[in-house]
Amino acid sequence: LRDNMSDRKAEAHTTVFKLTDLTEQTTDPAEWGKNFPRQYDSYRRTVDMERTRYGGSEADPGAIGAEDVHKTVSNIERDPRLKAMWNGYAFAIDFREDRGHAYMLHDQRETDRVLKKPQVGACLHCHASITVAYREAGIAAGAPGTLDEPLLSDNGQAQLMKGFPIISAMPYEEATKTVEHPVTCLDCHDPQSNQLRITRPGLLNGLIALANSTEPVPHLESVEKWRTGNREQPYDPNRLASRQELRSLVCAQCHVEYYCASKETLFFPWHNGLKVEQIEAVYDGHTFPDGSPFLDFKHKQSGAPAYKAQHPEFETWSQGVHARAGVSCADCHMPYIREGAMKVSDHHVRSPLLNDAKACQVCHRDSAEELVQRVHIIQDRTAALMSRALDAVVALINETEAAMAAGAADEQLAAARDFQKKAQWRVDFVNAENSMGFHAPQEAARILGEAIDYAQQGRLSLAMLGLPAAGAAKQVAAAK
Amino acid sequence: LRDNMSDRKAEAHTTVFKLTDLTEQTTDPAEWGKNFPRQYDSYRRTVDMERTRYGGSEADPGAIGAEDVHKTVSNIERDPRLKAMWNGYAFAIDFREDRGHAYMLHDQRETDRVLKKPQVGACLHCHASITVAYREAGIAAGAPGTLDEPLLSDNGQAQLMKGFPIISAMPYEEATKTVEHPVTCLDCHDPQSNQLRITRPGLLNGLIALANSTEPVPHLESVEKWRTGNREQPYDPNRLASRQELRSLVCAQCHVEYYCASKETLFFPWHNGLKVEQIEAVYDGHTFPDGSPFLDFKHKQSGAPAYKAQHPEFETWSQGVHARAGVSCADCHMPYIREGAMKVSDHHVRSPLLNDAKACQVCHRDSAEELVQRVHIIQDRTAALMSRALDAVVALINETEAAMAAGAADEQLAAARDFQKKAQWRVDFVNAENSMGFHAPQEAARILGEAIDYAQQGRLSLAMLGLPAAGAAKQVAAAK
Amino acid sequence: MGLLLAILLGAVVGLGGSTFIYGKGLSYFSNDPQSCKNCHIMNDQYDGWLKSSHHAVATCNDCHAPHGLLPKLMSKADNGFWHSKGFTLQDFPEPIRIREHNRQVLNRNCLECHHDLVEDVVAAHASDETRFDCIRCHVASGHGPER
Ligand SMILES: [Ca+2]
Ligand SMILES: [Ca+2]
């Protein structure tokens, strides 16, 4: 047996053929593809579209966008309660099912959120291969060194961090001209060693804030370790994170809750930890540089201040048992696949259910049908609870509006509006998280339970006002 | 050393030494202990008391009961909201933390629920080794055959089923004289083959009802199989269940939701399935033999009809991922322990956390600390959500009472009372389930989310009444 | 050779004289899985191995013993000590768990056989192959789902 093995070993001792030299400026994935054809092939397949019960992606037959490419189905048309909840914010204009990485720049450029509202360059942090652009802007603004230096060198980092707020503050139309590709090899890999690396300022800053907090993060061992060691230098994943951590952190560059708009540079709100109420507390305590209290928008119908959650996949995964067990994003979304004589990471990043749950089966020795069933049970429960929560939030909004129509004063409505803010933040957090609860099933249900509680308490606070026209107001609401 | 080794080798071959003959009438576990000393030893250790964060058991230093044995701590004193929720029912008089099997008969005989309220013999179904008593009563009432025949023979079953309603209908004081031991070997084992078996009429009937329903039960394969086969004979676990199924079903003889009181013989409400709302639907549609609509009690403060849930461990486990993965109650609560060369089932049935999570480590490759942590995270989440739900239910009760005081008519209160029934049933279902959510974490959270929704809707329905004295009523409620 | 003898001797002493012989100690050094199964305590793993994907292609030692002769014997002497100590005193923690050192041995053995297949994925993180943990995902490969 052993002879046999060593024979085979002699037979095929292929390492990487370096056909082309990759540099810190090689944003074009086709160039990388010359050295790594297998990964490049699967990377390109992120253009595929196929739906699952709650995920994957689906073209909207009636919506044809730029370059004659179909848009995906609209989430706000499918569930008008979402539109009601975001009334007054750009998401009520256009919000669609997300799809593969190949589309990220295309979709951002053509969304009505960008076309119909002024947006800033910060949006590009997660929708383009942008490190070179950041560095160029940084150098132009006086950062030391040249573009040839490694991104992770001191000069490289200085350039990156200097350019980041500059590009972020530019109007979107201008900023988007500095980039060409959606996320590409350079954004996750070092061009020399090919090792995973973190290239995004948002995450680098976010992890510093998280590490400085006292919230336990057992799934991020290197953070825990840094906390008990010499804390002179701030936490840096590129120096400290293990390979296994990086297999999630590269995704956490983008799949996270963030604030980014004209009022302040992009940041990740992790100063208290990663749980929904810890993030809420950061926002509650935050003021914009101009001194005004932090908020995402004021609700058009009810006048409530509101926070909008966006794709907190990393935060949600952090609360689940998979994270605790050391299972990374890449384990499920980029599983190894066999390509001839080699095993490679599937760069066709997508729903694991579209791949017959193969990613799951190394750890779970169940049939694909059984695994999909388990996912569906979790997702169906989440969806039912979310629907309940949405009903309550929408009722609260309508009833606040009716109370306003009936002449209620702002002080009388303060409680209702505060409850709306809390409830809406929670239901939105689960809604924006794209696994329909799978990444942390019980946590998602807990959050929705709280959302329901707050929304109904808001309604109660209105009913207790005993407004003279409350009966009529109720009818207004019911008629909606 | 050498001796040791040959000992072990000999041991490995020992099977059972038959020291004494066990019959269908051997209720005394000490007799069984002669043949199975290891199992008997651990069985006797169920007298031990030790608490965990949410489970185990703890003596109440101030409450000394019969035979100078301390009672366990009172759940209704620890959380008076429970007392409020059950106002008007026996559980508001006395309800304590459960403890080991050794105490089951003792605790039932001395609870104030029995001492201060009239109860019936049906209670003994799950608190005593009672099959012999059932059979004797059956024979006396004309069932065929003798006590020597196997319980699972046709005659044995006829005797059992005939005697069961007779003893169940007897007053408790009388019925309890027919039994002597808490659950014992005979209740789970065949005295000849030692195989697991189901001896309880409640479960035999309950499984027939469940099998006749259309609810999928993937964790009970033999039920699924029976459904697609020849259905002439009703489902019978003693003929059809696999060994692994029996390792849970023996517990399902008792650790289930049931109805049992003077109005009707004990039954398990599984005609629609095992989920909380499926059981509720059975109760909603049920009428007592005397024609009155089914209910457990009428709430003393609010006048709402109410259902009381009791220990639905089996039903909850059925909704969890462990059940789907084929993990049985015995796997966690009676793990194999090595005794020399033998592996025996630990008959010291208790919280797995009291045994360093050893039961878990057979399947989970984590440290005991980590496993306990995972359990605590799940339980803490459940407890926080339950507290929220309890607050809402108690507020609803107080507000209904206040509305009554303010002169509200029954029709005006119908909605509030119905919401209370729904909410209370759900929060109670999770509360009565003894794992604080562990057996099915997301399901427990879902149920609590619904409980919150219904309770708050009930409060809303009251507030919308716009009662003249609503302000005063609110103060009454707040003062409580 | 002298070193080798010393190791063998160490193993014999470690295993404890006559126990070693009576317990079919010599077979401990063979590649026959039966020699592990001699201890009933290894029965679960043996049964699991029978059902595993590797049953036909790898024996206990292929996975659990270092693949050089000398390290192999040294490791066996060390493990032999622990095993017979555990077996004799019956004081080992259950369920039995692989120790960190042996886990690394195991991981290296996976790589030895499967080097060609996994070369690329391992290389992606420089030379730090001990951090490339095959068993994290393929825990069932040695002993099937049951372990
Ligand atoms: Ca999608
Ligand atoms: Ca207990």
Coordinates of all heavy atoms in Angstrom, one line a residue, chain B residues 14-23 31-32 34-37 190-194:
Chain B
T14 N -18.8 -12.3 30.6 CA -19.9 -12.5 31.5 C -21.2 -11.9 30.9 O -21.2 -10.8 30.5 CB -19.8 -11.8 32.9 OG1 -18.8 -10.8 32.8 CG2 -19.7 -12.7 34.0
T15 N -22.2 -12.7 30.9 CA -23.5 -12.1 30.6 C -24.2 -12.1 32.0 O -23.6 -11.9 33.0 CB -24.3 -12.8 29.6 OG1 -24.0 -14.2 29.7 CG2 -24.0 -12.3 28.2
V16 N -25.5 -12.3 32.0 CA -26.2 -12.2 33.2 C -26.2 -13.5 34.0 O -26.5 -14.5 33.5 CB -27.7 -11.8 32.9 CG1 -28.5 -11.8 34.1 CG2 -27.7 -10.5 32.1
F17 N -25.8 -13.4 35.3 CA -26.0 -14.5 36.2 C -27.5 -14.4 36.7 O -27.9 -13.5 37.3 CB -25.1 -14.4 37.4 CG -23.7 -14.4 37.0 CD1 -22.9 -13.3 37.2 CD2 -23.1 -15.6 36.6 CE1 -21.5 -13.3 36.8 CE2 -21.7 -15.6 36.3 CZ -20.9 -14.4 36.4
K18 N -28.2 -15.5 36.4 CA -29.6 -15.4 36.9 C -29.6 -15.9 38.4 O -29.6 -17.1 38.7 CB -30.5 -16.4 36.1 CG -30.8 -15.7 34.7 CD -32.4 -15.8 34.6 CE -32.7 -14.9 33.4 NZ -34.2 -14.8 33.2
L19 N -29.6 -15.0 39.3 CA -29.6 -15.3 40.7 C -31.1 -15.5 41.2 O -31.3 -16.3 42.1 CB -29.0 -14.2 41.5 CG -27.5 -14.1 41.2 CD1 -26.9 -12.9 42.0 CD2 -26.8 -15.4 41.6
T20 N -32.0 -14.8 40.6 CA -33.3 -14.9 41.1 C -34.2 -14.8 39.8 O -33.9 -14.3 38.8 CB -33.7 -13.7 42.0 OG1 -35.0 -13.9 42.5 CG2 -33.6 -12.4 41.4
D21 N -35.4 -15.4 40.0 CA -36.3 -15.4 38.9 C -37.2 -14.2 38.9 O -37.9 -13.9 40.0 CB -37.2 -16.7 38.9 CG -36.7 -17.7 38.0 OD1 -35.8 -17.4 37.2 OD2 -37.1 -18.9 38.1
L22 N -37.2 -13.4 37.9 CA -38.1 -12.2 37.8 C -39.4 -12.5 37.1 O -39.4 -13.2 36.1 CB -37.3 -11.1 37.1 CG -36.0 -10.8 37.8 CD1 -35.2 -9.8 36.9 CD2 -36.2 -10.2 39.1
T23 N -40.5 -12.1 37.7 CA -41.8 -12.3 37.0 C -42.5 -11.0 36.8 O -42.0 -9.9 37.2 CB -42.7 -13.2 37.9 OG1 -43.2 -12.3 39.0 CG2 -41.9 -14.4 38.5
E31 N -35.2 -6.9 44.2 CA -35.2 -8.3 43.6 C -34.4 -8.3 42.3 O -33.6 -9.1 42.0 CB -36.6 -8.8 43.4 CG -37.3 -9.2 44.6 CD -36.5 -10.4 45.3 OE1 -36.2 -11.4 44.6 OE2 -36.2 -10.3 46.5
W32 N -34.8 -7.3 41.4 CA -34.1 -7.2 40.1 C -32.6 -6.9 40.4 O -31.7 -7.3 39.6 CB -34.7 -6.0 39.3 CG -36.0 -6.2 38.8 CD1 -37.2 -6.4 39.4 CD2 -36.4 -6.3 37.4 NE1 -38.2 -6.6 38.6 CE2 -37.7 -6.5 37.3 CE3 -35.6 -6.2 36.2 CZ2 -38.4 -6.7 36.1 CZ3 -36.3 -6.3 35.0 CH2 -37.7 -6.6 34.9
K34 N -30.7 -8.1 42.4 CA -29.9 -9.3 42.6 C -29.3 -9.8 41.3 O -28.2 -10.3 41.2 CB -30.7 -10.4 43.2 CG -31.1 -10.1 44.7 CD -31.9 -11.2 45.3 CE -32.4 -10.8 46.7 NZ -33.6 -11.5 47.1
N35 N -30.0 -9.7 40.2 CA -29.5 -10.1 38.9 C -28.7 -9.0 38.3 O -27.8 -9.2 37.5 CB -30.7 -10.4 38.0 CG -31.3 -11.8 38.4 OD1 -30.8 -12.4 39.3 ND2 -32.3 -12.1 37.7
F36 N -29.1 -7.7 38.5 CA -28.4 -6.6 37.9 C -27.9 -5.6 38.9 O -28.4 -4.5 39.0 CB -29.4 -5.9 36.9 CG -30.1 -6.9 35.9 CD1 -31.4 -7.2 36.1 CD2 -29.3 -7.5 34.9 CE1 -32.0 -8.1 35.2 CE2 -30.0 -8.3 34.0 CZ -31.3 -8.6 34.1
P37 N -26.9 -6.0 39.6 CA -26.5 -5.1 40.7 C -26.0 -3.7 40.3 O -26.3 -2.7 40.9 CB -25.4 -5.9 41.4 CG -24.9 -6.9 40.4 CD -26.1 -7.2 39.6
D190 N -38.9 -6.0 30.2 CA -39.6 -7.3 30.3 C -38.8 -8.1 31.3 O -37.6 -8.3 31.2 CB -39.5 -7.9 28.9 CG -40.4 -9.2 28.8 OD1 -40.0 -10.2 29.4 OD2 -41.5 -9.1 28.2
P191 N -39.5 -8.8 32.2 CA -38.8 -9.5 33.2 C -38.1 -10.8 32.7 O -37.2 -11.3 33.3 CB -39.9 -9.9 34.2 CG -41.2 -9.7 33.5 CD -41.0 -8.7 32.4
Q192 N -38.6 -11.3 31.5 CA -37.9 -12.4 31.0 C -36.7 -12.0 30.1 O -35.6 -12.4 30.3 CB -38.9 -13.2 30.1 CG -40.0 -13.9 30.9 CD -39.5 -14.6 32.1 OE1 -38.6 -15.5 32.0 NE2 -40.0 -14.3 33.3
S193 N -37.0 -11.2 29.1 CA -35.9 -10.9 28.1 C -35.1 -9.7 28.5 O -34.1 -9.4 28.0 CB -36.5 -10.6 26.8 OG -37.3 -9.4 26.8
N194 N -35.6 -9.0 29.5 CA -35.0 -7.7 29.9 C -35.1 -6.6 28.8 O -34.6 -5.5 29.0 CB -33.5 -7.8 30.3 CG -33.1 -6.7 31.2 OD1 -33.8 -6.3 32.1 ND2 -31.9 -6.2 30.8

